[in-house]
Amino acid sequence: MKKQLEQIQQDAIAALNAADSPAALEELRVRLLGKKGDLTAVLKQMGKLSPEERPVMGQLANTVRANIEQVLEARKTEINALVLEKKLADEAIDVTIPGNEVKMGHEHPMNQVLQEIKDLFVGLGYQIVDGPEIELASYNFTKLNIEEGHPSRDRSDTFYFTDDDSVLLRTQTSPMQIRVMEHAKPPICILAPGRVYRKDEADATHSPMFHQIEGLVVDEHITMGDLKGALVTLMKSLYGEDAVMRFRPHHFPFTEPSCEMDMQCHKCHGTGEVNGQVCSTCHGEGWIELLGAGMVHTEVLCGCGIDPEKYSGFAFGMGLERMAMRRTRINDLRLIFENDVRFLNQF
Ligand code: PHE
């Protein structure tokens, strides 16, 4: 029996030293020390021994068990350390590997042009103001001298929120003229860019949502010469010193006199023809319409509590998309709204 015990100890220690994983170690523990293990099997034979031998063997069995347990513990510590080491090595981060490139966004050509226009007007002393896109019909129309029944108030052109047509998506930035004049005293000098909405089908030149930039200057002795000066300065700064503009008489209910400003077509230089064909950029017109403008109507000034005997003012409203398209030579409005980065990255 002594031999048997010594053999068990020897085999156990060899097996423990050969084990290389926590699972293998656990399996060994059960096989060596468990109820159905080798050591228990030997101890079960103790009954067959003589009373003198029994304590001696009992002692030896305990020693063997203690030795095995000791080696098991030591091996467990070793294996756990190895496992941890391997895990750390496997999960190590190689900080020298180049990272994934972070793709930066790109400023939209519309914002680039808007920024340029704002910078110019701020330099001329204008203040940038912002106003609501959900507007009252009284601001969008009535206070701008646009009477009930005017075609632009029609439900087929304007998005209304209420059955009584009193709340709508603004169709122009001109209500900002009223919002400013109702509260500020002249001198007034503001620029109000923003979104506007009209029931247009989307095509190459129309979208139900687009952007306008409204300008308003009210002070003593303001004339159409001031209006022309501001707009020509803007156009030359955007399109170059040789840009050619023309002002045409027009009609708006809230300005008097009113005009529209066109820019000579850059493609056909005003001839309306390219290589004997009708110019595709201006459709043979030779000119491209850029904005509406005029002297603020006396009715509108009075309605806002500004004395037209003392003060006069000019206002203009331009389409930002059109300005941006001219500036960047984009020929289809839809490209501006699609936000395809492959397209935007070109600017
Ligand atoms: N609001 C006008 C439009 O949308 C443009 C405009 C603005 C005309 C200011 C005159 C003065 O067509």
Side-chain angles (χ1 to χ4, degrees), residues 73-87:
E73 269 322 301
R75 192 67 192 134
K76 200 185 260 178
T77 313
E78 260 171 44
I79 287 177
N80 282 345
L82 284 174
V83 168
L84 181 65
E85 210 169 283
K86 183 167 177 338
K87 198 170 170 206

Side-chain angles (χ1 to χ4, degrees), residues 272-333:
E273 274 182 23
V274 181
N275 303 330
Q277 302 263 347
V278 174
C279 175
S280 59
T281 304
C282 62
H283 307 292
E285 295 290 323
W287 297 88
I288 297 166
E289 185 192 314
L290 281 183
L291 56 84
M295 299 306 291
V296 181
H297 201 292
T298 49
E299 285 290 319
V300 175
L301 288 175
C302 286
C304 295
I306 294 174
D307 179 4
E309 296 294 328
K310 189 168 180 209
Y311 297 107
S312 56
F314 69 75
F316 58 84
M318 56 195 162
L320 177 57
E321 280 79 1
R322 210 167 268 197
M323 309 284 283
M325 283 167 79
R326 292 279 306 104
R327 181 68 216 259
T328 53
R329 316 232 154 161
I330 296 169
N331 55 14
D332 190 322
L333 183 65

Side-chain angles (χ1 to χ4, degrees), residues 171-174 177 198 212 214 252 254-255 292-294 315-317:
T171 62
Q172 50 183 353
T173 43
S174 299
Q177 294 182 31
R198 289 181 198 174
Q212 283 190 335
E214 194 81 10
F252 295 105
F254 41 93
T255 46
F316 58 84

Side-chain angles (χ1 to χ4, degrees), residues 154-160 171 197-201 207-208:
D154 202 278
R155 288 189 146 235
S156 60
D157 289 335
T158 300
F159 295 101
Y160 286 99
T171 62
Y197 303 82
R198 289 181 198 174
K199 282 192 182 170
D200 275 324
E201 293 292 334
S207 150

Side-chain angles (χ1 to χ4, degrees), residues 1-123:
M1 186 166 217
K2 184 170 181 239
K3 275 243 164 61
Q4 241 178 325
L5 284 169
E6 278 165 1
Q7 189 64 50
I8 286 176
Q9 173 167 317
Q10 200 183 330
D11 292 350
I13 290 170
L16 285 170
N17 283 329
D20 60 358
S21 74
L25 217 54
E26 176 58 15
E27 209 182 293
L28 271 177
R29 188 188 64 76
V30 173
R31 180 151 74 73
L32 297 168
L33 307 172
K35 280 200 189 105
K36 289 178 185 154
D38 297 352
L39 199 58
T40 316
V42 175
L43 291 175
K44 275 183 184 154
Q45 294 165 26
M46 291 278 261
K48 292 180 194 155
L49 295 175
S50 66
E52 298 80 46
E53 272 180 315
R54 227 175 275 157
V56 181
M57 282 305 136
Q59 179 104 50
L60 184 61
N62 280 340
T63 311
V64 166
R65 187 180 185 92
N67 286 346
I68 291 174
E69 275 172 353
Q70 201 190 340
V71 174
L72 179 75
E73 269 322 301
R75 192 67 192 134
K76 200 185 260 178
T77 313
E78 260 171 44
I79 287 177
N80 282 345
L82 284 174
V83 168
L84 181 65
E85 210 169 283
K86 183 167 177 338
K87 198 170 170 206
L88 286 176
D90 286 351
E91 290 176 6
I93 295 167
D94 182 350
V95 291
T96 64
I97 293 175
N100 292 333
E101 191 193 345
V102 177
K103 290 227 166 63
M104 291 295 278
H106 187 276
E107 193 177 29
H108 198 287
M110 284 263 288
N111 276 331
Q112 291 173 359
V113 174
L114 174 60
Q115 200 52 51
E116 253 181 87
I117 296 175
K118 280 192 210 168
D119 281 351
L120 179 98
F121 278 102
V122 166

